Amino acid sequence: MKAECVRDLNRKYLVMTDDSDGYQTEMLIRNKAEGFISVKKIEWDNEIRLYYDITGKQSLDKGFVKRKISYQELSELLYSISCQVKECKRLFLDVSGIILSPEYIYMDLSNDRFYWIFYPCNRDSHEIMDLAEYLLEHIDNSNHAAVRTVYELYRRAKEGSIDAENLYEILKSENEEEETVITEASENIQNSKKAVIKEKELHKSKIEKTIDRMFDSLKSKLSERKTQEKDLEYENLDEDLSEDDGIVADTEFGTVLITLPEGNSRKLISRNNSIPDAKLDFFPCVLGSRQDCVDILLNDRSVSRMHAQIDEAQGRLYLYDLNSTNGTFVNGQRIKSEEYEIKEGDEIQIGNVRFVLA
């Protein structure tokens, strides 16, 4: 499945090629499908392309860069999927058309609602596992109900015994289990209140410890796999290193070159009196107006909740627009690609807020 982001003057679209028979696409376009991102089709170079309007929405994988997914948000996500399954059946659409990969699940940060892309063509069958692994890494592990739910999702995804139609059953079974425990406690409390409470606390403690061990083990395995992928990325880097370009350091990924700017720190010098300067001490660094989601808070009405992100790779800085409403600009030019390299002296404009990179 190939997708690209394009932008016109006011809207941003996710564009994919449609090689289906066309029936399901027409059903989606001609009917108001609640919860699905609106789409239009355009014929271009003898291809049918689908344009999904993602203006003002943030993908799931970018929305939780700086915070964990709460149990409430997990519940809303799974419930939202169940609603889209019902919507598919109402419109006689194939449920498998709901994309479950985190990078194609969108949120509206103004109301915290989830929105979905329906793509009628054949895709990778591992989407449910991608979602399970993402949730496993980003869930708030201080909430044991959330951990139990995500672990069960991961286990069943690994077995291949779950899909979009029965995802919400995991949450229902979790709630039913809690209700059963409460009911049993109520029935027995008259006979032996203290004994029942003590026994259940002990039982709960054992379950939580077991889940914690399983959860930590799974996160460790995912971390090891990512480390192996990074090892492959860096294995040929030694040949290209030059001590004249920066500092050569030994890291867990091998010997790498670290290029440091003057003063060992980068900075965004504000050109707006109401906005302070901002240091770039770590990466990725998210800029926006929603405090719990960003590193650099910009209190300006023109700035989206999660507006832009600055990342670093091998001593270079890259600017990303996070699907903002009013756009991100470098030296007066609006960023259209997914990433844009920025250098010292560049003027960066976030909505109406302007900085100079130093």
Side-chain angles (χ1 to χ4, degrees):
M1 181 175 63
K2 294 182 179 180
E4 62 175 334
C5 289
V6 299
R7 182 187 286 276
D8 59 19
L9 288 176
N10 301 309
R11 317 299 295 177
K12 187 173 183 179
Y13 299 94
L14 185 74
V15 183
M16 292 187 247
T17 302
D18 182 7
D19 55 8
S20 68
D21 59 12
Y23 165 76
Q24 296 196 77
T25 303
E26 288 298 325
M27 288 295 292
L28 191 64
I29 292 174
R30 295 187 183 188
N31 295 276
K32 184 178 179 181
E34 191 69 28
F36 284 115
I37 291 177
S38 61
V39 60
K40 61 183 179 181
K41 67 175 184 178
I42 296 176
E43 187 169 354
W44 184 266
D45 289 341
N46 297 321
E47 283 186 339
I48 301 295
R49 297 183 182 180
L50 302 178
Y51 284 69
Y52 297 90
D53 188 350
I54 57 174
T55 307
K57 297 179 176 62
Q58 192 59 255
S59 62
L60 182 67
D61 65 329
K62 296 285 178 60
F64 291 94
V65 173
K66 297 299 175 184
R67 62 189 179 102
K68 295 293 185 181
I69 300 172
S70 68
Y71 182 63
Q72 177 66 26
E73 289 167 326
L74 175 64
S75 301
E76 290 173 357
L77 174 68
L78 298 180
Y79 177 71
S80 179
I81 294 174
S82 71
C83 291
Q84 298 318 117
V85 169
K86 292 178 182 178
E87 194 69 0
C88 282
K89 292 181 177 180
R90 182 181 74 85
L91 297 175
F92 302 100
L93 301 175
D94 189 342
V95 173
S96 66
I98 304 172
I99 299 183
L100 297 177
S101 294
E103 63 266 36
Y104 298 114
I105 299 172
Y106 287 86
M107 300 182 298
D108 186 335
L109 295 180
S110 66
N111 55 23
D112 288 331
R113 285 189 60 188
F114 292 97
Y115 289 86
W116 304 83
I117 284 181
F118 183 89
Y119 184 59
C121 308
N122 293 328
R123 303 191 312 278
D124 188 350
S125 60
H126 298 292
E127 286 181 6
I128 191 73
M129 178 57 80
D130 293 341
L131 178 60
E133 290 184 349
Y134 176 83
L135 293 175
L136 193 65
E137 291 185 64
H138 292 83
I139 197 68
D140 176 10
N141 56 18
S142 66
N143 185 302
H144 289 281
V147 172
R148 283 197 299 268
T149 304
V150 171
Y151 174 74
E152 178 64 12
L153 168 59
Y154 179 85
R155 184 186 67 79
R156 292 181 62 177
K158 197 170 183 180
E159 291 176 350
S161 60
I162 193 168
D163 55 26
E165 292 197 59
N166 53 28
L167 261 176
Y168 189 59
E169 293 177 7
I170 293 177
L171 192 63
K172 288 172 63 179
S173 64
E174 171 67 30
N175 292 336
E176 288 170 0
E177 183 180 340
E178 288 185 359
E179 289 174 4
T180 301
V181 171
I182 293 171
T183 302
E184 289 176 355
S186 300
E187 292 174 351
N188 296 324
I189 198 168
Q190 293 179 352
N191 299 324
S192 183
K193 182 177 180 179
K194 292 182 179 180
V196 169
I197 293 175
K198 184 176 180 180
E199 181 181 349
K200 286 190 175 292
E201 285 179 347
L202 179 62
H203 180 63
K204 181 180 178 183
S205 177
K206 290 179 179 179
I207 291 175
E208 289 178 350
K209 287 179 180 178
T210 301
I211 289 174
D212 282 342
R213 287 196 299 269
M214 292 178 176
F215 187 73
D216 290 340
S217 176
L218 287 169
K219 289 190 74 175
S220 176
K221 289 179 180 178
L222 288 173
S223 178
E224 287 176 6
R225 190 171 71 182
K226 288 191 173 182
T227 299
Q228 291 173 357
E229 291 173 354
K230 287 183 178 179
D231 285 341
L232 292 174
E233 205 174 300
Y234 284 97
E235 64 181 356
N236 295 321
L237 188 60
D238 290 347
E239 299 175 3
D240 300 323
L241 297 182
S242 170
E243 294 191 18
D244 295 333
D245 297 327
I247 298 174
V248 177
D250 292 325
T251 73
E252 59 181 315
F253 305 119
T255 303
V256 298
L257 179 67
I258 303 173
T259 304
L260 299 177
E262 286 186 30
N264 296 346
S265 178
R266 279 136 168 149
K267 192 174 184 180
L268 294 176
I269 307 298
S270 175
R271 287 196 167 185
N272 298 70
N273 294 331
S274 59
I275 303 295
D277 297 345
K279 287 186 177 181
L280 300 174
D281 293 328
F282 55 87
F283 303 98
C285 181
V286 179
L287 300 89
S289 61
R290 178 165 167 169
Q291 190 166 8
D292 64 335
C293 295
V294 303
D295 301 298
I296 298 177
L297 181 65
L298 304 177
N299 286 315
D300 189 276
R301 297 180 66 178
S302 67
V303 177
S304 296
R305 290 168 177 82
M306 290 179 67
H307 195 111
Q309 177 177 308
I310 298 177
D311 209 347
E312 187 269 346
Q314 298 183 23
R316 296 180 178 181
L317 292 187
Y318 295 90
L319 179 65
Y320 301 79
D321 180 80
L322 296 179
N323 199 20
S324 65
T325 301
N326 293 319
T328 303
F329 301 78
V330 176
N331 299 326
Q333 298 296 315
R334 189 168 191 163
I335 293 177
K336 295 183 178 180
S337 60
E338 286 299 296
E339 65 178 41
Y340 190 97
E341 184 178 356
I342 52 176
K343 300 177 181 178
E344 184 176 342
D346 283 346
E347 182 183 82
I348 298 168
Q349 184 176 335
I350 310 294
N352 294 331
V353 178
R354 295 185 299 156
F355 296 98
V356 174
L357 180 63

